[in-house]
Amino acid sequence: MKILFTKKIDSEVISKELGNNITAECIEVIKIKNLKVETFDLKNKSLIFTSLNGVKSFFENQFSPNEDFTAKNYNKIYCVGEKTKRELRKNGFGTFKVLKNADTLSKFIIDHCQNEKFLHFCGNLAIDVLDKELPLQNISYKKVIVYETEELNPEISEKYHAIVFFSPSGVRSFAKNNSLENMVLFSIGETTSKELRKHTKSEIFTSKKNTLSNLLLVIRDALKIIQS
């Protein structure tokens, strides 16, 4: 079986999890460019990160949160996904709350954080759940664009049995010049699957966690059923 991953993944990791009877190929469908952003005072703001790239660009731009909860103007940090959380830890910062996607983060903020003022460090194509929902509840919210995602829109002539997607922008990039019909589709998390459903009626296998290990587990289990 031939599988296309729409992101560069270590071939050894793939073969270890899926076995050697799988032919896996990888292609980048999006390109990330970190932006230069002038730093400003973060005092008394709660910070939102919904992607690893948002965290990377935030620290590359020399922003510095205040995590001292005893201080007057400390910053609570909210994030989506384990990869985002790990990138924050790599830079020496913990998280106040980690949610699995932007929808659950939005609901949590509306239910529990009405009086906080939020800054969302994200890319130019970040999904618009937060900026649609939070202002409707009179919650202070502002996007700070710290990186750009370019959709590369490749044309794929090779035929594959299955395709693996990692982000809504990756889905859009691929779907612009390629059909998603009559093939097995795998997706990392519900947000990416939601975008896939706009482009196809094919069945989508979705990982419950936004991690590569969980996604590969979903692929392995699905392939056992398909090939049996």
Side-chain angles (χ1 to χ4, degrees):
M1 177 175 261
K2 288 179 70 174
I3 302 179
L4 178 65
F5 287 78
T6 56
K7 181 180 179 179
K8 295 290 185 188
I9 305 293
D10 189 330
S11 58
E12 288 185 11
V13 173
I14 296 173
S15 60
K16 181 183 176 184
E17 293 297 328
L18 303 183
N20 295 321
N21 60 336
I22 300 296
T23 302
E25 295 179 9
C26 302
I27 183 172
E28 294 285 3
V29 296
I30 60 173
K31 185 166 72 175
I32 303 297
K33 178 189 174 186
N34 287 346
L35 301 177
K36 182 64 182 168
V37 178
E38 192 170 331
T39 57
F40 52 84
D41 198 337
L42 302 174
K43 68 179 180 181
N44 212 29
K45 297 291 195 298
S46 294
L47 313 181
I48 296 174
F49 297 95
T50 49
S51 70
L52 174 148
N53 291 307
V55 177
K56 283 183 175 178
S57 189
F58 175 84
F59 286 108
E60 279 185 19
N61 278 294
Q62 306 298 312
F63 281 101
S64 183
N66 178 6
E67 263 202 318
D68 181 1
F69 295 136
T70 63
K72 187 178 179 182
N73 295 316
Y74 75 90
N75 304 116
K76 283 185 182 177
I77 298 177
Y78 298 77
C79 85
V80 167
E82 288 300 316
K83 283 193 297 184
T84 311
K85 174 185 172 182
R86 281 198 298 272
E87 190 64 28
L88 281 159
R89 280 199 174 157
K90 196 188 295 182
N91 285 277
F93 290 90
T95 47
F96 175 73
K97 194 72 179 175
V98 182
L99 283 304
K100 66 178 182 178
N101 56 40
D103 283 311
T104 54
L105 175 58
S106 176
K107 289 183 177 70
F108 180 85
I109 290 172
I110 290 167
D111 289 343
H112 303 286
C113 317
Q114 288 276 345
N115 298 320
E116 294 178 39
K117 297 177 180 179
F118 290 91
L119 294 174
H120 181 191
F121 292 87
C122 60
N124 59 317
L125 300 182
I127 57 173
D128 55 5
V129 170
L130 294 162
D131 52 343
K132 272 186 176 178
E133 299 293 332
L134 301 190
L136 288 176
Q137 304 297 323
N138 293 318
I139 296 172
S140 174
Y141 169 86
K142 181 185 176 184
K143 266 185 182 178
V144 183
I145 307 299
V146 290
Y147 70 93
E148 287 180 347
T149 303
E150 180 187 350
E151 296 175 5
L152 300 177
N153 309 130
E155 290 186 44
I156 308 297
S157 56
E158 191 80 23
K159 298 298 179 188
Y160 296 92
H161 300 100
I163 306 180
V164 186
F165 290 96
F166 296 86
S167 67
S169 54
V171 172
R172 289 190 297 270
S173 174
F174 185 90
K176 183 166 185 180
N177 292 319
N178 305 282
S179 172
L180 293 168
E181 299 305 327
N182 303 314
M183 62 180 75
V184 183
L185 301 173
F186 295 99
S187 164
I188 190 163
E190 184 54 39
T191 304
T192 302
S193 290
K194 190 184 289 187
E195 184 65 32
L196 271 169
R197 292 187 197 104
K198 297 177 185 176
H199 302 276
T200 181
K201 290 187 169 23
S202 295
E203 184 177 7
I204 303 162
F205 295 89
T206 308
S207 66
K208 285 187 168 58
K209 297 178 182 177
N210 290 349
T211 63
L212 177 61
S213 58
N214 189 243
L215 179 59
L216 289 171
L217 191 63
V218 169
I219 295 171
R220 189 180 70 192
D221 291 346
L223 293 183
K224 283 180 186 174
I225 296 167
I226 293 165
Q227 293 175 328
S228 62

